[in-house]
Amino acid sequence: MMPELSDRRRPIRVLIIDDTRTIRGLIRAHLDQDRRLVVVGEAGDPYEARSLIKSLNPDVLTLDVEMPRMSGLEFLDKLMRLRPMPVVMVSTRTTEQSDDAIRALTLGAVECIDLRALRSGGRRAVNLADTLVMAAGARTAGRVVSQSGSPTAEFVWNEKFVLIGSSTGGVEALTTIFADYPQNCPPTLVAQHMPAHFLTSFAKRLDASCAPRVLLAEGGERPEQGTIYLAPGGATHMALGGRIAPSLQLLTDDESEVYVPSVEVLFKSAEVRAKSTIAVLLTGMGRDGAAAMLGLRNAGSHTIAQSGESAVVDGMPKAAREIGAACEVSHLSDIAGRILSAASS
């Protein structure tokens, strides 16, 4: 699936940041083959990068994790606080050490690319150029600050379930939302486009950073208050099933869906319980979940789409807004509060 590409006429200006000259050359060689991109500079460490960012004003950066004088993640943290801009991590550590990938995405990186995919060649190698084009059009306005206050135990659940779909930019968005969830939050099911091994690390990171329990769905469990369930991805989609009592189901992918896990599958599965469902569509490329969200709204669900100005990539929520699938449109900083309001008695 090709990413949505920028319609800008001039080439996208790329700064490569990596301490190894051969790796910088490898990345440059791949990017030089694409007319949409031009490499305007290379930096061997974050201090050199800081100077080049000021003088060259690139549109997007590639950034390694392991570098001398300052790690790539530390530099990313400082950059997103002081001068937010699109960053794509290109490193072996963002796969081998998937905790680093999750931390990078939480800090504001648009995407993570496995350096070994460039080394090995093949069809995967072209993804870096497409990813950089997509990233250059992403919104990076700095870390979102929650406005709904600290999590509170005063929340009283009205027995409605929450379904959330997200893709590019979703790690940061979900982290922001769940930071405002109380310990006794409504049962929440999440389909986030992400490889399975990243989802495992993401679930652990969320579980350690927010008040409710966060875990990967195993299938067969009944959604409980105070728990957030992430679709495990891999070869399975997550659905809300059960004829009488609701339960989580894992459905084997039959290749009819573009994304695994699919937001469309998750949302569509809840139509029989639409009046007991709140559906939320967050940042991401494409249209996954928009049509099913419209079905939920028409069947009686309360539906929320993230606002365009607060989405890293305004694809999925925009698609929902355009077809009238959203009952309300909310800035990311307000979404937790809107969910809790709709899920409380």
Side-chain angles (χ1 to χ4, degrees):
M1 184 72 177
M2 290 285 290
E4 296 171 340
L5 302 182
S6 169
D7 60 358
R8 69 174 74 206
R9 293 182 179 180
R10 69 171 178 81
I12 293 165
R13 297 162 57 82
V14 183
L15 175 63
I16 300 169
I17 309 171
D18 193 292
D19 64 315
T20 305
R21 182 181 301 229
T22 56
I23 298 302
R24 297 199 302 270
L26 174 66
I27 295 172
R28 178 185 280 272
H30 281 279
L31 301 186
D32 282 347
Q33 300 175 33
D34 198 304
R35 293 183 180 179
R36 299 170 297 175
L37 305 163
V38 58
V39 177
V40 294
E42 301 178 13
D45 64 55
Y47 289 93
E48 185 180 358
R50 183 174 60 184
S51 176
L52 290 178
I53 289 171
K54 291 179 181 179
S55 63
L56 298 175
N57 194 29
D59 299 309
V60 62
L61 312 179
T62 72
L63 179 62
D64 189 17
V65 172
E66 291 185 289
M67 288 185 292
R69 305 174 71 189
M70 182 189 298
S71 76
L73 293 178
E74 184 180 356
F75 177 66
L76 177 64
D77 184 34
K78 294 179 183 296
L79 183 70
M80 289 303 171
R81 285 189 283 108
L82 301 174
R83 183 174 174 170
M85 62 184 304
V87 176
V88 172
M89 306 302 295
V90 181
S91 173
T92 56
R93 286 182 62 91
T94 49
T95 293
E96 292 173 350
Q97 305 284 339
S98 55
D99 285 346
D100 288 337
I102 298 304
R103 186 180 172 204
L105 294 169
T106 303
L107 290 172
V110 177
E111 192 58 272
C112 296
I113 294 290
D114 182 4
L115 177 60
R116 292 171 301 181
L118 299 182
R119 288 171 168 166
S120 62
R123 290 188 302 171
R124 291 188 303 169
V126 302
N127 289 343
L128 177 59
D130 288 339
T131 300
L132 289 173
V133 172
M134 177 275 295
R139 292 177 177 86
T140 51
R143 202 88 26 89
V144 173
V145 178
S146 165
Q147 297 180 356
S148 58
S150 300
T152 173
E154 296 176 0
F155 170 77
V156 179
W157 181 41
N158 63 8
E159 299 191 357
K160 289 188 177 181
F161 299 93
V162 179
L163 311 181
I164 301 178
S166 53
S167 185
T168 307
V171 168
E172 187 177 7
L174 292 168
T175 301
T176 298
I177 291 169
F178 295 146
D180 280 336
Y181 256 33
Q183 188 173 8
N184 64 336
C185 71
T188 300
L189 285 57
V190 179
Q192 161 69 39
H193 297 163
M194 187 180 289
H197 56 284
F198 282 3
L199 285 163
T200 300
S201 294
F202 186 35
K204 292 178 180 177
R205 187 174 183 87
L206 280 176
D207 187 57
S209 65
C210 66
R213 288 192 310 161
V214 182
L215 45 83
L216 291 182
E218 296 180 353
E221 62 265 57
R222 181 172 181 174
E224 297 180 353
Q225 186 178 5
T227 307
I228 298 164
Y229 303 87
L230 299 188
T236 61
H237 304 286
M238 182 169 64
L240 181 61
R243 292 186 177 181
I244 302 176
S247 64
L248 299 185
Q249 297 179 344
L250 298 185
L251 309 176
T252 302
D253 177 47
D254 61 3
E255 299 186 355
S256 63
E257 299 294 333
V258 175
Y259 302 101
V260 184
S262 165
V263 182
E264 191 78 8
V265 169
L266 175 61
F267 283 6
K268 194 168 185 179
S269 72
E271 276 196 24
V272 294
R273 292 187 174 86
K275 293 182 180 179
S276 299
T277 298
I278 300 161
V280 183
L281 203 52
L282 302 176
T283 174
M285 290 190 300
R287 305 181 62 86
D288 189 24
M293 178 184 263
L294 179 59
L296 283 173
R297 181 179 185 181
N298 290 338
S301 293
H302 186 79
T303 56
I304 304 170
Q306 185 175 353
S307 64
E309 66 269 19
S310 70
V312 172
V313 178
D314 190 25
M316 289 159 50
K318 181 180 180 181
R321 298 194 307 269
E322 288 179 339
I323 63 174
C327 296
E328 62 175 306
V329 177
S330 295
H331 190 281
L332 175 59
S333 60
D334 298 325
I335 289 179
R338 302 309 304 154
I339 291 173
L340 296 176
S341 177
S344 64
S345 54

